[in-house]
Every structure is written in C-alpha cells, then in structure tokens.
Amino acid sequence: MSSIVLMPNLPLALPERQIRSRLGYAAETRLEPEQAAFLQEKMRLAFALVKAQGLYRCLDILSNDGESLLLAEQSRIYSRDLAKMLRDSQQVWLAAVTIGPSLGEQSAELFAQGQAAAAAVYDAVGSECADASMDFLQEYAGTQLRRSARSLSKFRFSPGYGDWSLEAQKDFFTWLKPESIGLQLSDKLLLLPEKSVTALAAIRTLD
C-alpha cells in the first residue's frame, strides 16, 4: 500500500497526430492551406487552456476469488474482467487525471456561438490531452515501480468498461481524494470537469 502521489503539473506536448485522427483526418490527408491554418490555430489556442494534473497510488490486493477483489482498506472491486486481469497481481495501480475546466468551457461557448468546427477541434484537443495525461502518469509510475522490482501493465481499465460498473467512480473518490485536483462527480456518475479520466492498471512483481 502507498500514499497518494500528487502531480499538479503534468508536462504535455500537443498530441497533434491523435487530434487529427480523432477529427477524422487520415495521416496522409492533405488539407487546403486555409483549413490547415484554421486547424493549427484552434489546436494552439485550445492547448493553451490545458492544465494537466494527476494523482495515483498503489493498493494491496488482499484476495481475488475470480468474481471480485478485496483491496487494502477493505474496499472491493466487483468485476470478473478485472479479477481475470489481476489474477497474477499482488497490487493494483489507481489513478486520476484532469486537464481542468477552461478548455471545456470554451468549447461549449464556441458551440453556443455557432462555431461548431472550432468547438469540435477544442473538444478533440481536450479528449486527447486527457488521454495523454494518463499515458504520462502511467509511464512515470511504471518507472518508479521498476526501482522496487515491480512492473506496471501498459493496459488500463476505467469504470464503465467491460463489466466494471460506472458506480466504481465513487470508489476513486475514496481511494484518491481527487477533489485535490478539482475533480467532482455528477449525479449521473460523470467526472467533472468533463475532460478527466480515472483508471486502474495491474502491478506485478518482477522475477
């Protein structure tokens, strides 16, 4: 079991290739100069609004019966998918990231003003930067874990996928106290700000 590691300023580079893909542009797509200039400007303006923050911790797995897992602090995960994924793990990595509210608010304002194309670019930048934030946090944590002869899986799992109920979002607020990076949970169990991610990954002991 470990304490919570808070990273208030995650270093990100603009994930331009992923943003273009999310917007439906293939890698070989050549845009007209006016379109390319529009896309570059909106990506730059949107990226300037990103404030990526994250936190994570590791918890011991006390038992795994194939149907659910009992974690340290007597919290339980109900998921056959996760029980299978973690069958060879003694610990689990739990994390949350957010890029803050500013980009989402600006995207909504642009859409309300009828600037749907600009809003779509902002939305794509937000989604890809949230994923990139989690990628960075996972890679960083993996590096730290290797120093104590442990490995962190590249695969990760979030509430609402497979058979892991979205109700599990509530557990992350117990495990991580993500209010410290501005996260909240809506009545419909959606993370606020919207461009935020929670995830779990497997920790294994290296031979």
Side-chain angles (χ1 to χ4, degrees), residues 173-186:
F173 281 77
T174 299
W175 293 326
L176 296 174
K177 305 293 188 277
E179 297 91 342
S180 63
I181 58 171
L183 279 185
Q184 299 178 47
L185 196 60
S186 76

Side-chain angles (χ1 to χ4, degrees), residues 80-205:
R80 289 182 179 179
D81 291 341
L82 283 176
K84 181 178 180 180
M85 170 184 161
L86 297 166
R87 64 182 177 273
D88 298 321
S89 298
Q90 296 77 44
Q91 291 183 310
V92 64
W93 182 76
L94 305 158
V97 298
T98 184
I99 64 164
S102 298
L103 186 150
E105 291 169 355
Q106 183 61 30
S107 177
E109 184 174 336
L110 288 167
F111 189 82
Q113 292 172 354
Q115 300 183 53
V121 175
Y122 273 64
D123 185 75
V125 171
S127 295
E128 291 302 332
C129 284
D131 285 344
S133 298
M134 186 60 82
D135 288 342
F136 176 88
L137 196 64
Q138 192 168 1
E139 184 174 345
Y140 174 86
T143 299
Q144 302 305 308
L145 287 166
R146 283 194 293 275
R147 295 176 178 176
S148 57
R150 291 174 291 172
S151 68
L152 182 62
S153 66
K154 294 185 179 298
F155 183 78
R156 58 180 182 249
F157 215 97
S158 293
Y161 289 92
D163 67 349
W164 197 19
S165 171
L166 194 59
E167 285 279 336
Q169 294 288 27
K170 295 178 181 178
D171 294 325
F172 279 89
F173 281 77
T174 299
W175 293 326
L176 296 174
K177 305 293 188 277
E179 297 91 342
S180 63
I181 58 171
L183 279 185
Q184 299 178 47
L185 196 60
S186 76
D187 293 339
K188 295 183 178 180
L189 303 176
L190 300 178
L191 293 172
L192 302 172
E194 178 187 354
K195 302 305 182 184
S196 304
V197 181
T198 56
L200 168 159
I203 298 173
R204 294 184 176 88
T205 302

Side-chain angles (χ1 to χ4, degrees), residues 37-84:
F38 174 86
L39 179 59
Q40 288 294 329
E41 179 192 23
K42 298 310 177 187
M43 286 195 296
R44 178 181 60 81
L45 292 173
F47 188 62
L49 298 175
V50 171
K51 179 174 172 49
Q53 303 179 75
L55 70 173
Y56 70 87
R57 73 183 299 199
C58 308
L59 283 181
D60 293 336
I61 298 173
L62 303 181
S63 67
N64 180 348
D65 63 10
E67 300 282 339
S68 66
L69 302 108
L70 178 63
L71 306 186
E73 302 182 357
Q74 300 301 305
S75 58
R76 189 172 287 277
I77 294 175
Y78 295 93
S79 166
R80 289 182 179 179
D81 291 341
L82 283 176
K84 181 178 180 180

